[in-house]
Amino acid sequence: MTTIAPTGAQHTVEAGGLRAVVTEVGAGLRSLTHDGRPLILDYPEDSLPVGSAGLPLLPWPNRVQDGRYTFDGQERQLALTEPKYGNAAHGFTRSLPWQVVGRDEHSIRLGLRLFPQIGYPHILDLAIGYALGDAGLEVEVTAENAGGTAAPYGFGAHPYLTVGGPVDDAVLELPAGRWLAVDERKIPVGGQDVDDTAYDFRSPRPIGALALDTPFTGLTRGADGLVRVRLTAGDGGRGVELWAAEGIGWLQVYTGDTLAESHRRAGLAVEPMSCPPNAFRTGEDVVRLAPGERAVHRWGIRPI
């Protein structure tokens, strides 16, 4: 009898000491290692991802308050997939099977046609490419509106970076000038500058006991247009960097305090997002895809 993994087929790509495992279900990044060292928190093949680990979040990241939003004058109600808080969370594609549409030894590309869902009467052709090279892992996410009406769209991803120990002992460098406070339902209630707050990681410093489930913006980019977040071990001996290209103006950072004990504060979720939490409701940074229009977002991870 053949045993089927909860996340479906497992696709492995390798290059230059890097090894990535990508899942059929959700097109998630289950594992990423460099010379055997984990760069992200992984999970066993016979398990589901803990805390959405490694999953793309489409066609919106994070939460929509009450699952209700208005688009082009139409009031819509999404299914409440986060019943504890009464929100719609992390889009539709985390539990859907994706098809391999291209691959070689060093890269793989998966595709999914997302048909209309409750509260989202649109058709999107989605594709995610994972490629390994000298610069580490590069991820490219594309969405094309295959339907006949304009569609709201947002992108997010949910990797948990790790340096092999608790996040309390790790050093974080996060070039973000603003953060959003959230209420008990994880919905933003206001933003402020990071100056003179516990959320200022523009200069590297230990995370310590700080609990984060926090959206950041006001990102500082390099000359190449990339924003870079670095997590390093307290002794400076190893680290991992997440980068995000233009079009990704938000980073949700989560220390995993509400996860199962085996994963609690074991890794730091650094989630590149094209829009903030509750964006479908507020309209902030939501991409409007006209019929036939495409959106492309790029991010990646490399070892330090």
Side-chain angles (χ1 to χ4, degrees):
M1 179 177 177
T2 301
T3 300
I4 300 174
T7 53
Q10 310 290 299
H11 308 293
T12 301
V13 291
E14 299 182 85
L18 289 161
R19 182 177 187 269
V21 179
V22 177
T23 63
E24 173 189 4
V25 175
L29 184 65
R30 184 171 71 81
S31 172
L32 179 65
T33 60
H34 179 249
D35 291 338
R37 173 170 70 93
L39 302 181
I40 64 171
L41 280 186
D42 59 11
Y43 56 93
E45 183 176 334
D46 61 358
S47 300
L48 289 169
V50 176
S52 297
L55 289 169
L57 312 175
L58 303 165
W60 78 86
N62 216 284
R63 295 161 175 87
V64 179
Q65 182 182 3
D66 302 320
R68 291 199 298 269
Y69 71 103
T70 300
F71 184 74
D72 281 356
Q74 295 182 349
E75 294 186 5
R76 297 175 175 177
Q77 177 66 62
L78 301 163
L80 301 183
T81 53
E82 191 181 44
K84 178 179 179 180
Y85 298 120
N87 299 318
H90 292 335
F92 303 114
T93 67
R94 290 179 294 164
S95 60
L96 296 179
W98 293 62
Q99 302 300 313
V100 176
V101 295
R103 73 170 301 167
D104 57 31
E105 183 180 357
H106 307 312
S107 67
I108 187 167
R109 187 173 179 85
L110 298 96
L112 170 72
R113 172 161 284 177
L114 179 67
F115 284 99
Q117 305 288 317
I118 295 173
Y120 193 84
H122 307 289
I123 303 173
L124 300 181
D125 281 340
L126 303 170
I128 300 178
Y130 295 93
L132 300 177
D134 293 340
L137 168 72
E138 179 175 339
V139 186
E140 182 180 84
V141 182
T142 64
E144 181 174 344
N145 187 347
T149 59
Y153 174 76
F155 152 79
H158 212 301
Y160 287 79
L161 307 183
T162 181
V163 290
V167 298
D168 306 56
D169 304 325
V171 174
L172 174 63
E173 181 180 358
L174 174 66
R178 288 185 62 78
W179 68 284
L180 301 185
V182 299
D183 63 16
E184 66 280 356
R185 297 173 63 192
K186 309 298 182 181
I187 300 299
V189 293
Q192 58 185 288
D193 293 341
V194 301
D195 300 296
D196 301 318
T197 73
Y199 303 96
D200 189 354
F201 288 93
R202 290 173 294 184
S203 295
R205 64 181 180 86
I207 295 172
L210 181 66
L212 293 168
D213 195 355
T214 307
F216 289 87
T217 191
L219 308 179
T220 300
R221 301 181 183 273
D224 55 4
L226 304 182
V227 59
R228 293 177 169 86
V229 180
R230 295 182 176 94
L231 188 72
T232 55
D235 60 9
R238 61 193 180 279
V240 58
E241 175 185 278
L242 181 142
W243 59 265
E246 293 181 4
I248 297 174
W250 296 84
L251 296 166
Q252 180 89 10
V253 180
Y254 172 47
T255 45
D257 297 80
T258 59
L259 297 181
E261 188 173 353
S262 59
H263 286 70
R264 193 171 302 155
R265 297 186 70 85
L268 184 72
V270 180
E271 307 166 35
M273 306 188 302
S274 63
C275 56
N278 211 28
F280 269 23
R281 185 135 171 172
T282 66
E284 185 171 8
D285 289 341
V286 171
V287 176
R288 179 186 175 86
L289 284 178
E293 193 170 16
R294 296 173 73 242
V296 181
H297 294 99
R298 293 173 50 249
W299 66 279
I301 295 174
R302 73 172 187 90
I304 300 176

